[in-house]
Amino acid sequence: MHYQAESWGSYFPARAVGGDPLERIERLASENAVVIFSVSSCCMCHAIKRLFCGMGVNPTVYELDEDPRGKETEKALMRLLGSSSAVPVVFIGGKLVGAMDRVMASHINGTLVPLLKEAGALWL
Amino acid sequence: MFSLKSNNVTFVSNNLHYNTLSSSIGIGCATEIVETTGPVGCLDTGQFISHKGTTIGSSLGNGHIENWGESVMADNSQQTDTSTDIDTDDKNQTHGVQHGTLVVVDSMDQSKAKAGDQKVLRRLAQNREAARKSRLRKKVMLPLLAYVQQLENSRLRLSQLEQELQRARQQGIFITTGLSGDHGHSATGNGKDFIILLQALHHVSNGKKDIHSYELSVLTATFVDLCFKCGIYDLDGYVKMFRLNTYCIKDILHKGRVLHRTGLNLARSEQHKFAAEINDVGFIRRWLMSDRICKYRRKDVGEPMDINLDNIGSSWALAFDMDYARWLDEHQRLISDLRSAVNSHMGDNELRLLVDGVMAHYDELFQLKSIGTKADVFHMLSGMWKTPAERCFMWLGGFRSSELLKILGNHLEPLTDQQLMGICNLQQSSQQAEDALSQGMEALQQSLVDTLSSASLGPSGTGNVADYMGQMAIAMGKLATLENFLHQADLLRQQTLQQMHRILTTRQAARALLVINDYTSRLRALSSLWLARPRE
């Protein structure tokens, strides 16, 4: 067992902890209608949370600085978004919407609300 | 320079539109000012003055404004000192005298009138009428004259700035305060050195003489300034430095040329990178401090002085201000074209071209602001490039989208049901986005307060320097997110405009753009009038 752990060094830890970060992100994102990855001290994250709350949506927020696997999740998000800042990131209905600029753009051009309704996060 | 039209004015007697005039006087009088210098300044009083010949006043539908304006302007040109006139009371009747055709008021004459004499009665009535007109004229004219005085000063200042910029272009130096600072060496040698240095720079940049880009000017000035402050004065040193590190200078100069040449077409990421590089004078400083350069430093100068980076911010701010002024100028021109197209009932196809042109021009503004935000976020936030009234109602570096939609309000009728719903949704979503960003900003401010007021920064003797530096670093990080907020706010504004454009028909969109422009013009006019109001 011990020998196996050493020779499979690069694989074992991932499996032991439960999947590569990207998979984990996808899994978390599909568990709820609106999922926001955030950092508790980030003010832009605060703004995006206020935006959803103001619309009457109750998002599921994962604070990456309070997450033991936060660092790798952040790195994975950075790669996913292709930008230097990992948070905030919004997933609606399991699908990636994007950072603040994308969310705001879709809200202004009227596509955000239908998306939310489709995901069951908004009624009426 | 600043020249005023001086026409022969037949005024007052057949022009009794005081009521309508007094409410729109600020805009009207501006239209006849002919200026021969370059673009319009974004200075406080000058902002709504368009270029030659545009009649902004016509938007208010009162053609008589022009006459009024002319008379005032001509009046002003004949007075050498308006300030003393403003303070005196009834002596202002001299206004009338200078225009042969103006009615002269002399209320002292009233005592000579004898009751019962028809002719005298008529003359009395005339005098009273004239006195009333004179008082009204005074009430309106004095602030106008003060305003014109201020305009003239602003014009002078603007032309001074333009000249400075021109000179800087020729010499490649942006004349900032830092350069003339306390270097402790003779000033006489520097001029020649500068020119030779700049020739070397030109040589380095492959002989291209066309270095208009103010970024290059700023970089050059900063670079030279830093050299001075590091004790590097001798010409040989400069040239050697350039040869040693031409790749670095060339690279930046090249980018500067690219930025200038392609202007706003450079990909946003590139712009940010370039702007960041220019701002990162740390790299210049590190390079200057490096061992390679050491041997060129004069030994008798001693340690390099603290490098003052204040100049850079103000140079950028000034550059942005000038760019904005130019943009505004062009915007007014496009709007007046649009206005005449709407009034002449132009066909939809041609109208669409004009509307699209204005929208594309707005996009240019947002590009400009994007660069400006990266360069000097505090200047953008301060709104010093806007007039005072605009600044007062500013939100996060610009206009409030939701406010704009409220202003449009009834002007867009008739709207289809679908359009109405679209506009309502747009207003609601822009309001929500604004609220979210505002709350984010509040959180930012609060966290900054928390950081700066943390216990470790107290005056206690056990103040830990490392702690202080740490907290400062955190605070710096928080300030950096300011840029992001400003950027998001600009995106919001841009997207609101674009969505509005999508919802409305061509004609409605044209009307909307005109309404928006009228509103902001009036706000600017309000600023000017307010600044020029007579103080007790």
Side-chain angles (χ1 to χ4, degrees):
Chain A
M1 201 59 128
H2 190 65
Y3 171 78
Q4 266 186 326
E6 279 175 14
S7 67
W8 294 69
S10 55
Y11 301 103
F12 238 68
R15 223 171 271 169
V17 192
D20 95 301
L22 217 52
E23 277 177 25
R24 181 169 173 261
I25 290 171
E26 279 173 36
R27 185 171 43 86
L28 290 173
S30 48
E31 278 173 7
N32 293 93
V34 180
V35 174
I36 305 180
F37 288 97
S38 138
V39 166
S40 55
S41 61
C42 164
C43 299
M44 196 53 83
C45 301
H46 180 81
I48 220 174
K49 287 178 223 165
R50 298 313 313 162
L51 179 63
F52 280 106
C53 293
M55 289 195 277
V57 174
N58 198 10
T60 309
V61 180
Y62 292 105
E63 304 283 5
L64 295 180
D65 53 337
E66 294 162 5
D67 186 344
R69 302 180 59 192
K71 269 285 165 221
E72 56 184 26
T73 315
E74 265 191 68
K75 290 206 186 84
L77 283 172
M78 272 193 254
R79 271 200 307 274
L80 194 64
L81 288 178
S83 93
S84 56
S85 90
V87 290
V89 182
V90 175
F91 288 82
I92 298 182
K95 286 200 289 271
L96 172 69
V97 174
M100 179 56 134
D101 51 351
R102 284 281 174 78
V103 171
M104 218 168 48
S106 72
H107 192 32
I108 293 296
N109 68 26
T111 56
L112 186 65
V113 169
L115 204 61
L116 287 168
K117 286 189 181 160
E118 204 184 351
L122 256 187
W123 293 279
L124 61 82
Chain B
M1 258 305 155
F2 180 57
S3 66
L4 301 166
K5 265 192 191 173
S6 47
N7 303 319
N8 283 330
V9 181
T10 48
F11 177 65
V12 181
S13 38
N14 47 1
N15 189 347
L16 298 170
H17 299 262
Y18 287 109
N19 289 334
T20 45
L21 282 176
S22 56
S23 59
S24 49
I25 210 71
I27 298 178
C29 78
T31 60
E32 296 306 315
I33 294 174
V34 179
E35 44 108 355
T36 53
T37 49
V40 177
C42 59
L43 308 161
D44 291 339
T45 53
Q47 201 158 25
F48 69 82
I49 307 299
S50 174
H51 53 281
K52 311 176 188 42
T54 303
T55 44
I56 301 177
S58 59
S59 71
L60 301 170
N62 190 343
H64 291 284
I65 290 175
E66 294 174 28
N67 286 339
W68 175 243
E70 283 176 14
S71 73
V72 171
M73 294 311 104
D75 213 353
N76 185 48
S77 65
Q78 293 176 37
Q79 291 179 10
T80 47
D81 187 358
T82 56
S83 50
T84 52
D85 277 348
I86 286 167
D87 289 304
T88 58
D89 253 343
D90 286 300
K91 303 294 177 285
N92 273 334
Q93 283 127 24
T94 48
H95 285 180
V97 172
Q98 288 176 348
H99 288 273
T101 52
L102 283 175
V103 176
V104 177
V105 176
D106 186 0
S107 46
M108 307 305 169
D109 272 342
Q110 291 177 15
S111 54
K112 297 185 195 144
K114 291 214 175 12
D117 190 325
Q118 273 274 336
K119 197 172 158 207
V120 172
L121 272 174
R122 208 172 48 233
R123 196 155 70 109
L124 258 178
Q126 275 176 359
N127 284 346
R128 272 199 300 274
E129 182 63 28
R132 185 183 71 85
K133 285 181 196 167
S134 164
R135 278 193 303 275
L136 265 169
R137 206 187 320 140
K138 222 189 306 172
K139 206 163 72 170
V140 177
M141 197 129 87
L142 299 181
L144 273 176
L145 291 172
Y147 159 76
V148 165
Q149 185 76 33
Q150 209 162 12
L151 249 192
E152 194 165 16
N153 295 340
S154 308
R155 281 276 170 276
L156 283 172
R157 194 181 141 213
L158 182 66
S159 68
Q160 269 171 17
L161 286 172
E162 280 277 275
Q163 278 173 24
E164 224 176 74
L165 197 63
Q166 199 59 42
R167 230 186 3 251
R169 280 196 196 126
Q170 284 159 8
Q171 295 177 10
I173 301 169
F174 208 97
I175 301 168
T176 63
T177 51
L179 284 176
S180 52
D182 45 336
H183 297 296
H185 55 269
S186 74
T188 48
N190 295 341
K192 202 160 73 86
D193 281 349
F194 270 130
I195 292 174
I196 298 174
L197 167 66
L198 266 308
Q199 281 170 357
L201 253 183
H202 280 243
H203 178 71
V204 158
S205 71
N206 299 324
K208 286 265 160 65
K209 297 190 200 87
D210 180 31
I211 308 184
H212 297 313
S213 170
Y214 55 78
E215 288 97 338
L216 291 181
S217 304
V218 169
L219 175 69
T220 312
T222 314
F223 177 72
V224 172
D225 192 32
L226 289 174
C227 291
F228 266 34
K229 290 196 164 116
C230 291
I232 302 169
Y233 309 133
D234 57 307
L235 181 62
D236 279 337
Y238 293 149
V239 176
K240 280 185 191 120
M241 274 191 315
F242 275 111
R243 276 202 222 109
L244 278 176
N245 292 278
T246 48
Y247 78 92
C248 145
I249 301 289
K250 244 185 186 166
D251 190 45
I252 293 191
L253 286 178
H254 170 71
K255 281 194 185 140
R257 267 204 311 283
V258 169
L259 187 69
H260 170 69
R261 203 178 38 235
T262 63
L264 306 161
N265 296 328
L266 203 60
R268 192 169 279 177
S269 57
E270 284 270 4
Q271 282 175 4
H272 291 175
K273 222 167 51 131
F274 177 68
E277 258 180 20
I278 290 286
N279 269 343
D280 182 24
V281 288
F283 92 87
I284 299 182
R285 179 190 191 152
R286 278 190 298 275
W287 171 58
L288 286 173
M289 296 297 186
S290 67
D291 292 332
R292 273 163 148 191
I293 306 303
C294 269
K295 51 187 173 182
Y296 299 113
R297 241 180 258 145
R298 266 166 52 174
K299 298 294 180 276
D300 53 347
V301 168
E303 284 305 303
M305 291 183 263
D306 225 5
I307 293 180
N308 178 14
L309 302 176
D310 289 345
N311 308 334
I312 300 163
S314 65
S315 304
W316 275 107
L318 186 57
F320 175 80
D321 287 356
M322 305 222 66
D323 270 348
Y324 179 71
R326 252 170 253 141
W327 181 88
L328 202 59
D329 212 18
E330 177 69 14
H331 181 68
Q332 297 291 56
R333 193 183 63 78
L334 289 171
I335 287 288
S336 75
D337 285 347
L338 189 64
R339 197 191 306 281
S340 44
V342 168
N343 288 340
S344 69
H345 305 290
M346 189 185 273
D348 260 10
N349 285 332
E350 290 98 346
L351 197 63
R352 188 180 318 125
L353 286 175
L354 289 176
V355 169
D356 288 348
V358 177
M359 292 303 295
H361 194 60
Y362 265 117
D363 285 340
E364 281 183 33
L365 173 65
F366 290 113
Q367 294 264 35
L368 217 64
K369 287 182 81 179
S370 169
I371 301 179
T373 304
K374 287 291 163 194
D376 189 351
V377 64
F378 287 114
H379 178 68
M380 302 306 295
L381 264 178
S382 75
M384 289 306 291
W385 42 281
K386 283 180 182 274
T387 57
E390 282 177 300
R391 205 179 306 145
C392 173
F393 299 113
M394 203 174 65
W395 172 77
L396 225 62
F399 61 85
R400 257 187 199 278
S401 304
S402 56
E403 196 63 48
L404 209 70
L405 290 167
K406 280 189 210 134
I407 290 166
L408 284 177
N410 302 331
H411 291 99
L412 297 173
E413 316 251 298
L415 287 171
T416 67
D417 281 344
Q418 198 181 22
Q419 281 181 322
L420 191 61
M421 203 169 67
I423 293 287
C424 283
N425 286 341
L426 181 60
Q427 183 158 354
Q428 191 181 35
S429 53
S430 63
Q431 182 75 57
Q432 285 168 345
E434 279 170 23
D435 288 343
L437 286 176
S438 296
Q439 291 184 43
M441 276 294 281
E442 273 176 37
L444 179 62
Q445 189 165 10
Q446 188 56 49
S447 89
L448 199 64
V449 165
D450 290 340
T451 306
L452 290 178
S453 62
S454 74
S456 64
L457 297 178
S460 62
T462 56
N464 190 343
V465 174
D467 241 358
Y468 178 86
M469 294 299 286
Q471 294 290 66
M472 278 303 170
I474 295 173
M476 286 282 285
K478 293 196 197 294
L479 277 187
T481 61
L482 256 184
E483 283 181 24
N484 200 3
F485 272 99
L486 219 61
H487 180 59
Q488 298 298 335
D490 274 341
L491 277 178
L492 174 60
R493 288 184 265 267
Q494 186 175 26
Q495 279 149 16
T496 309
L497 280 172
Q498 284 169 354
Q499 177 70 357
M500 187 195 76
H501 185 210
R502 258 177 249 132
I503 295 176
L504 299 175
T505 65
T506 305
R507 205 153 289 273
Q508 286 168 331
R511 256 209 321 274
L513 289 171
L514 291 176
V515 167
I516 294 170
N517 178 260
D518 283 349
Y519 173 76
T520 40
S521 294
R522 285 175 202 185
L523 209 52
R524 285 196 285 269
L526 195 63
S527 295
S528 308
L529 277 176
W530 180 257
L531 287 172
R533 76 193 188 282
R535 325 253 173 152
E536 305 310 312

